[in-house]
Amino acid sequence: MQSQDLLNIAREYGAPVYVYDAGKIQSQFQRLTSAFSSVGQLKLNYAVKALSNLSVLRLLNSMGSGLDTVSIQEVQLGLMAGFRPEDIIYTPNGVSLEEIEEAASLGVQINIDNLSILEQFGGKHPDIPVCIRINPHVMAGGNTKISVGHIDSKFGISIHQIPHLLRIVELTQMKVNGIHMHTGSDILDIDVFLYASEILFETAKQFKDLEFIDFGSGFKVPYKEGDIQTNVEELGEKLGGRFNAFCKEYGRDLVLAFEPGKFLVSEAGFFLTRVNVVKQTTSTVFAGVDSGFNHLIRPMLYGSSHQIVNLSNPQGKQRYYSVVGYICETDTFASNRRISEISEGDILCFRNAGAYCFTMASNYNSRYRPAEVLWMDGQAHLIRRRESFEDLIRNQVEVNLPAPGAKSAQQVK
Ligand SMILES: *Cc1c(COP(=O)(O)O)cnc(C)c1O
């Protein structure tokens, strides 16, 4: 999609607004699928929490994707978007047994990540097959050394607890149909990822009824020029080959599953904001936009660096700016960033705004959450209206209080 398309959307729907390019989501899905073409049965389960708009979910459904969900509400959104229950995996952390049972009753694949719930669930529902989330204690990413850190991670069942896990499975007679890992960190070093995969293969041998192995996610996408990104083609070649060999050894063709969130939607997203004020202080030139961490919190929460482009003046002279929001709080999107000269009223575009942006938005400062637009086949489709004042007060219940100056009932007595 072109800059002019984005400008037209800002004009038509107003700013701030999130825009998603369907074509980019499709091409990322295709890229990952092609990278693993050597694997007989590949399943990509899109991680809903990255971007959960129903229209985006429907788009992924139309491409043959499954879903990875982390709450019962995400399961419900997936079903509403037309996914079959068997194409949804539910991978919660720290939720109640009741919520897991509710998801099971909806027919989705359950993924359990602690021994306590495993024992309770297996005791009550030995006939419902479950997947087990393993913590291989390997951190893929950060530096190139294999880190055996993550011992204290709250996610997954430690590989050191496998004997205990096997006892529970045996005693409850439950069926384990999948094993899973998600290290949660960026896959920078493919060899580290392969190392963790070997641990998963080793673990897999202990279970006789497996149908799939789920390698989670952590695919890294570039945020700025020079950023490293996961070489999914190389990963596909190496892990695909290793997976096929494992299936031979195991004696059955298994499904290889992934749960990409960021990889599928990050680069497809653009966040458009309008510049309210250009403010020169003694040391800095601030560009203040009509947004803040109420709409895009990743730079403040994770220190993530989103590229910012001035769509209104693409050929302008490059100058240094600090781009800040309108929230009464420090909400710096970028410091000392070279951006083509900014005037009040210009439209600034934040790149990589597809994943973990809108889904983390809030109403802080009593501001409305932005509209969302899906760009598909050369056309803009509004997929979420901007909020209105009604939305801010929808669930509030007002207490009857005396008007200022009026005596309360108690005072009158
Ligand atoms: C968040 C999450 C993902 C997606 O991670 P990305 O880095 O966005 O690809 C996958 N699996 C699980 C279990 C998750 O919690």
Side-chain angles (χ1 to χ4, degrees):
M1 80 179 299
Q2 311 289 319
S3 297
Q4 194 53 49
D5 301 324
L6 291 169
L7 278 172
N8 290 342
I9 288 170
R11 200 164 298 130
E12 185 170 352
Y13 299 97
V17 59
Y18 277 100
V19 184
Y20 312 118
D21 179 358
K24 183 65 183 175
I25 298 175
Q26 260 153 343
S27 66
Q28 288 294 93
F29 190 88
Q30 262 318 315
R31 190 180 154 203
L32 200 51
T33 305
S34 306
F36 283 85
S37 55
S38 70
V39 173
Q41 302 178 75
L42 177 75
K43 186 77 193 173
L44 301 182
N45 296 317
Y46 166 65
V48 175
K49 73 179 188 291
L51 173 60
S52 55
N53 188 293
L54 282 171
S55 298
V56 173
L57 300 185
R58 282 186 200 284
L59 175 73
L60 280 144
N61 190 16
S62 75
M63 287 155 33
S65 179
L67 290 186
D68 174 64
T69 56
V70 295
S71 69
I72 192 72
Q73 289 79 10
E74 285 189 354
V75 171
Q76 288 163 338
L77 282 174
L79 293 173
M80 189 180 248
F83 285 85
R84 301 179 308 166
E86 56 267 41
D87 288 331
I88 300 178
I89 181 165
Y90 171 64
T91 305
N93 173 264
V95 309
S96 67
L97 178 65
E98 290 73 27
E99 185 173 313
I100 294 176
E101 288 177 317
E102 191 183 342
S105 74
L106 294 173
V108 305
Q109 172 71 48
I110 303 299
N111 188 0
I112 294 183
D113 96 326
N114 68 83
L115 292 179
S116 169
I117 294 282
L118 185 74
E119 190 171 335
Q120 295 175 67
F121 189 87
K124 285 175 81 176
H125 314 281
D127 298 333
I128 301 178
V130 300
C131 173
I132 286 170
R133 179 171 184 171
I134 302 292
N135 182 349
H137 299 309
V138 173
M139 255 176 82
N143 58 40
T144 52
K145 282 200 211 88
I146 291 170
S147 157
V148 195
H150 255 41
I151 280 283
D152 288 331
S153 164
K154 71 164 187 162
F155 298 102
I157 298 170
S158 165
I159 40 164
H160 305 302
Q161 291 178 307
I162 298 294
H164 187 178
L165 194 164
L166 288 170
R167 263 202 317 280
I168 291 173
V169 171
E170 198 188 317
L171 292 172
T172 59
Q173 293 281 299
M174 67 194 303
K175 188 179 163 200
V176 175
N177 67 343
I179 57 168
H180 166 276
M181 71 170 184
H182 172 65
T183 57
S185 48
D186 294 325
I187 302 174
L188 286 175
D189 188 326
I190 285 175
D191 291 331
V192 176
F193 191 78
L194 291 173
Y195 176 81
S197 304
E198 287 306 323
I199 295 174
L200 209 55
F201 289 135
E202 239 356 88
T203 311
K205 287 183 197 160
Q206 323 246 7
F207 299 92
K208 297 295 156 229
D209 302 317
L210 293 186
E211 291 158 11
F212 66 93
I213 300 182
D214 188 332
F215 293 87
S217 181
F219 299 101
K220 196 170 168 59
V221 297
Y223 271 67
K224 53 182 189 301
E225 237 160 274
D227 264 3
I228 308 167
Q229 56 173 311
T230 306
N231 186 336
V232 295
E233 287 73 23
E234 187 188 344
L235 183 69
E237 210 177 296
K238 291 185 172 167
L239 181 61
R242 187 59 193 93
F243 183 80
N244 289 334
F246 174 78
C247 288
K248 275 220 174 72
E249 202 181 323
Y250 188 76
R252 192 185 311 155
D253 278 338
L254 302 176
V255 173
L256 189 165
F258 279 117
E259 312 159 340
K262 199 186 271 185
F263 182 82
L264 293 179
V265 298
S266 174
E267 294 163 283
F270 304 88
F271 182 45
L272 310 182
T273 60
R274 188 180 302 277
V275 177
N276 282 336
V277 61
V278 176
K279 177 174 179 174
Q280 174 109 44
T281 65
T282 42
S283 59
T284 306
V285 185
F286 288 103
V289 297
D290 58 357
S291 183
F293 69 58
N294 52 326
H295 298 151
L296 177 60
I297 201 172
R298 298 188 77 257
M300 304 85 183
L301 192 62
Y302 302 125
S304 61
S305 172
H306 292 254
Q307 220 187 73
I308 302 171
V309 182
N310 184 358
L311 296 178
S312 305
N313 185 23
Q315 309 303 333
K317 199 168 115 200
Q318 300 270 305
R319 299 190 60 189
Y320 286 99
Y321 293 95
S322 282
V323 179
V324 295
Y326 63 4
I327 290 298
C328 290
E329 193 101 42
T330 299
D331 56 354
T332 307
F333 288 114
S335 303
N336 301 318
R337 203 63 86 67
R338 266 170 79 89
I339 301 172
S340 49
E341 187 153 14
I342 296 174
S343 308
E344 290 170 3
D346 282 358
I347 298 293
L348 299 191
C349 172
F350 291 71
R351 309 290 302 264
N352 284 78
Y356 308 105
C357 293
F358 186 92
T359 48
M360 286 191 172
S362 75
N363 288 120
Y364 188 49
N365 276 207
S366 296
R367 294 285 183 185
Y368 306 144
R369 278 178 295 182
E372 294 182 290
V373 168
L374 184 65
W375 177 257
M376 199 163 52
D377 303 325
Q379 276 198 328
H381 304 265
L382 183 67
I383 57 172
R384 187 192 300 265
R385 281 188 293 275
R386 183 181 316 287
E387 284 180 333
S388 64
F389 194 72
E390 293 297 302
D391 296 305
L392 289 185
I393 56 170
R394 182 180 298 136
N395 292 323
Q396 297 197 38
V397 180
E398 283 196 80
V399 175
N400 249 336
L401 291 172
K407 283 204 164 83
S408 74
Q410 237 161 14
Q411 283 172 317
V412 172
K413 267 189 213 164

